[in-house]
Amino acid sequence: MGLVVGTAGHIDHGKTRLLRALTGIDADRLPEERRRGMTIDVGYAHLALPDGAVIDFVDVPGHDRLVGNMLVGAGEIDAAMLVVAADDGPRAQTLEHLELLDGLAIADGLVVVTKIDTVEPGRVAEVVAAARALLSSTSFAAAPVLAVSATSGAGLAELRAALAALAGRPIAGAGTDGPSRLAIDRVFRIKGRGIVVTGTLRGRPLVSGMSLAIVPGGGSIRVRELQVRGQSLESAGPGRVAINVAGEDGRTLDRGTVLTSDPGTLVASDRWLVALRPVSGRRRQAGGVPADRTRGQVHIGTARAGAIVGRAGRDDVELGGGEVSAILRLETPLAVAPGDRFVLRRPSPATTLAGGRVLDPSPARGVSRRRTSAERLIALAGAAPGGDVWAAARTDLHGAAEGALAADVASALEETIVTSVAQHGEIPVAELRTVAARTLRRLVGLDTRDLPRIASDAIDRLVDGGRLSRDADRIRPAGTVAAAAPPELLAAMDRLEAMLATVAPPPLTRAARASGCPPAGIRELERTNRIVRLDDDLAWAFGTYRELTARALAMAADGPLTPAAYRDATGTSRKYVMAILEDLDRRAILRRTPDGHVPGPRAPQARVLAGETSA
Ligand SMILES: Nc1nc2c(ncn2[C@@H]2O[C@H](COP(=O)(O)OP(=O)(O)OP(=O)(O)O)[C@@H](O)[C@H]2O)c(=O)[nH]1
Ligand SMILES: [Mg+2]
């Protein structure tokens, strides 16, 4: 794979000339650039190393009005080469480019003090010292500083050696195992061939003939031909690649557009949840990161867009390490993936507002925004972008994401489902799904095609876990039996009910055994209010219990009712009497006083007691 090194530095400091001395290639390819002797747009060169590896260079302009083009070049590099002219020393764009590289978290690279043939040796030492001082508070603090002359060739051998050392080191984020992704930096037409795009390819190599999705914009192109440094190859990358594209949608390609082998990993989004951090350097704005409602330009990859910072309320959290969270709203959607680096800049007066990284390319909307908390944002910011931990943190932040539910949402949903089934006794699964979907909308504002499936999954989980039971398309509380229960079971239930239709019923377990009624039958009798169960082993048929309690209430209405009086009146024993009186006390239908039980705060008329009992 080819290391991609970008130049940086003040206008006329010798970036392009240095690349020519190193590689023999003039990166100033445009006629206007050659005429004016300055770089206007990004240019390219490459250097073959003795070990066979090749370094690709992206050359950028130093002009203060062309910082946007500098950022196109800097957006997809692995390392930077900051060039400082020995006669001039560090100047405005030396500082500004350094800030921008720092903002993009490009930490690898080297500093070259060039044009040393034009000054005294003492001056070289001075400029080298000044450069080191500049670097000290940036991501480049550890970068080597070299002194060269592009015209005499002095120091070029050492520079080549330093570049070879850089190419031999593993570079953060230059992995080759992810989906292929290429941010387009140049689009041009070749007569008879059609459209060619160039860029730095990340992730897995491209193969000619494959299709790539276009983000933003949609559609796709086919790779007709691949070229690396002017040579046609069947497979190419990662590193600098030129693609001759086929397909109608090729006409929509532009600088800033991204081609990807897996559109699922990249979204076109105009609203990002980000971590912002102040850049080191003199021009950064006082007080660190930009305030709420700050406007600027966001530069990411080879794209840019106007953006406004949202740092109000729950979106504004200290993430640690000098980072704060924010919502960036863009004027136009850009291709973005979690973990992408960007800078936020104000063109005039030129200010680097912040560096940043994308935490969530599609942040929560609507009611689920209320879930945003410091704890959840910090968890997301601390997770490796796009990994399992990140996905779980994002689900927790949104309440629901990619068809998964946060733990608290899942349990709230299950409770709603179970309660709803209990209330209905039995409910068609379609109706229950509607109830579940309504709950999800209320909790997390979820309103997608996923919704019915999530609801179905939750119901299935409850059925599998034994909390609900399912009979074709109807859902019931677990253990209850269908209306269409087998006739033997219905007969057994009838027998049990009859056995309990007496003022002093036998123990429930014995009665159930005698009548052949299984536990599910007992639960069904309870659920349909055919029996009233006061204890594990004590139950009456409903009608009998209603008569007994009506009697107790009527007697209590006449004066304090003692257990003994009630026992005599009903012809039962103390065991039954105490159970009934305690039950009525608990429900506040009766109230216990030292003299006996009197009507309680919830005592109905004796006539309507039956209704109360069944409620
Ligand atoms: N004497 C001397 N002149 C140099 C050296 N390097 C560059 N120059 C001259 O400095 C001028 C600017 O060089 P460029 O390479 O075009 O500068 P640049 O940094 O690419 O400029 P921009 O792309 O416009 O930002 C040219 O006239 C070069 O010939 C050097 O090492 N020694
Ligand atoms: Mg140049």
Side-chain angles (χ1 to χ4, degrees):
M1 61 164 286
L3 181 78
V4 182
V5 176
T7 60
H10 198 70
I11 186 166
D12 259 353
H13 272 204
K15 299 178 288 297
T16 306
R17 182 71 184 80
L18 178 60
L19 286 189
R20 206 172 85 206
L22 279 171
T23 68
I25 297 166
D26 187 358
D28 280 349
R29 62 202 151 77
L30 303 174
E32 191 189 351
E33 292 179 319
R34 296 202 166 153
R35 198 171 62 244
R36 294 172 64 182
M38 66 179 276
T39 306
I40 295 168
D41 204 353
V42 282
Y44 311 93
H46 54 89
L47 172 67
L49 297 169
D51 69 353
V54 180
I55 293 181
D56 280 303
F57 290 98
V58 177
D59 188 32
V60 303
H63 197 293
D64 61 348
R65 302 249 295 277
L66 299 172
V67 173
N69 285 348
M70 179 272 173
L71 281 163
V72 169
E76 295 287 345
I77 59 176
D78 302 308
M81 184 164 76
L82 181 68
V83 175
V84 184
D87 51 351
D88 221 10
R91 295 281 301 277
Q93 271 62 55
T94 314
L95 307 184
E96 188 173 17
H97 288 190
L98 190 56
E99 277 172 16
L100 293 167
L101 294 170
D102 186 65
L104 289 167
I106 295 164
D108 278 295
L110 35 86
V111 178
V112 182
V113 173
T114 187
K115 303 197 195 184
I116 60 169
D117 58 289
T118 62
V119 296
E120 295 298 313
R123 170 68 184 164
V124 174
E126 223 173 85
V127 175
V128 166
R132 277 200 209 286
L134 270 186
L135 301 180
S136 63
S137 63
T138 72
S139 54
F140 270 83
V145 182
L146 295 102
V148 307
S149 165
T151 52
S152 78
L156 288 184
E158 289 84 349
L159 176 54
R160 281 200 186 86
L163 286 165
L166 198 63
R169 279 215 312 257
I171 299 289
T176 58
D177 47 353
S180 315
R181 171 178 171 172
L182 179 136
I184 295 174
D185 52 24
R186 211 150 49 112
V187 182
F188 51 94
R189 288 183 166 276
I190 296 181
K191 221 171 166 189
R193 286 259 190 98
I195 296 165
V196 173
V197 300
T198 66
T200 299
L201 180 75
R202 308 293 184 181
R204 284 188 285 273
L206 296 181
V207 181
S208 83
M210 75 190 291
S211 277
L212 295 172
I214 303 169
V215 188
S220 65
I221 54 94
R222 201 171 52 76
V223 176
R224 179 182 287 154
E225 193 193 340
L226 287 167
Q227 284 200 354
V228 175
R229 299 169 208 112
Q231 279 205 302
S232 288
L233 299 170
E234 269 309 295
S235 167
R240 293 293 310 171
V241 173
I243 309 171
N244 180 200
V245 305
E248 277 293 291
D249 299 333
R251 285 173 311 168
T252 65
L253 298 180
D254 207 351
R255 172 173 282 179
T257 308
V258 177
L259 298 176
T260 176
S261 61
D262 180 2
T265 56
L266 198 64
V267 294
S269 169
D270 58 4
R271 194 166 152 268
W272 309 347
L273 172 65
V274 300
L276 296 177
R277 70 194 156 76
V279 290
S280 51
R282 281 197 224 150
R283 292 154 181 266
R284 75 180 166 85
Q285 60 171 51
V289 284
D292 189 31
R293 294 173 185 276
T294 302
R295 284 178 183 280
Q297 286 260 323
V298 62
H299 296 259
I300 186 164
T302 57
R304 71 170 108 168
I308 181 161
V309 175
R311 284 186 59 206
R314 53 169 67 89
D315 293 326
D316 181 24
V317 166
E318 301 264 351
L319 299 171
E323 288 184 320
V324 299
S325 63
I327 295 282
L328 275 193
R329 262 177 285 269
L330 279 63
E331 278 164 8
T332 176
L334 297 182
V336 64
D340 282 358
R341 299 282 181 169
F342 63 88
V343 288
L344 191 66
R345 185 174 175 270
R346 189 156 50 207
S348 168
T351 314
T352 307
L353 297 169
R357 60 193 177 105
V358 176
L359 300 179
D360 184 351
S362 314
R365 290 185 183 276
V367 288
S368 64
R369 290 201 59 198
R370 290 190 213 129
R371 297 178 60 85
T372 301
S373 67
E375 201 183 6
R376 289 186 175 128
L377 287 175
I378 289 166
L380 187 71
D388 290 348
V389 176
W390 176 86
R394 181 168 183 269
T395 301
D396 192 37
L397 180 61
H398 286 236
E402 311 298 329
L405 296 181
D408 62 314
V409 175
S411 64
L413 177 66
E414 289 187 355
E415 282 324 302
T416 310
I417 293 171
V418 169
T419 306
S420 175
V421 171
Q423 276 165 0
H424 288 79
E426 178 181 282
I427 181 169
V429 69
E431 203 174 305
L432 190 57
R433 244 183 250 134
T434 309
V435 170
R438 205 185 307 132
T439 305
L440 278 175
R441 255 196 300 276
R442 179 173 54 75
L443 289 175
V444 292
L446 201 63
D447 200 2
T448 65
R449 281 171 290 119
D450 280 346
L451 217 130
R453 196 187 51 70
I454 295 175
S456 291
D457 285 354
I459 295 166
D460 290 349
R461 260 199 316 279
L462 289 165
V463 171
D464 293 346
R467 289 185 71 188
L468 297 178
S469 67
R470 178 176 193 147
D471 178 21
D473 63 344
R474 302 185 79 76
I475 303 290
R476 288 182 305 276
T480 59
V481 289
E488 311 81 48
L489 179 59
L490 292 176
M493 286 161 61
D494 288 347
R495 283 195 297 276
L496 178 59
E497 183 185 24
M499 286 180 79
L500 300 176
T502 165
V503 289
L508 180 58
T509 42
R510 210 172 75 203
R513 226 179 6 255
S515 59
C517 187
I522 298 174
R523 279 196 292 272
E524 181 68 1
L525 286 170
E526 266 190 282
R527 191 182 68 75
T528 51
N529 285 325
R530 288 172 63 188
I531 65 170
V532 176
R533 190 167 177 178
L534 292 193
D535 206 337
D536 278 350
D537 218 8
L538 180 61
W540 281 269
F542 179 75
T544 312
Y545 189 70
R546 185 183 51 193
E547 280 165 26
L548 285 167
T549 52
R551 181 68 154 276
L553 190 60
M555 289 174 76
D558 285 337
L561 171 68
T562 63
Y566 187 43
R567 183 193 61 207
D568 294 341
T570 54
T572 57
S573 70
R574 185 174 166 81
K575 178 179 93 178
Y576 299 106
V577 162
M578 293 314 293
I580 293 171
L581 291 177
E582 271 166 28
D583 179 48
L584 294 175
D585 286 349
R586 198 168 51 236
R587 289 156 57 203
I589 291 167
L590 292 183
R591 187 165 58 82
R592 204 177 136 190
T593 69
D595 295 327
H597 296 262
V598 297
R602 300 191 58 206
Q605 297 298 315
R607 239 169 358 97
V608 296
L609 186 61
E612 153 64 25
T613 310
S614 66

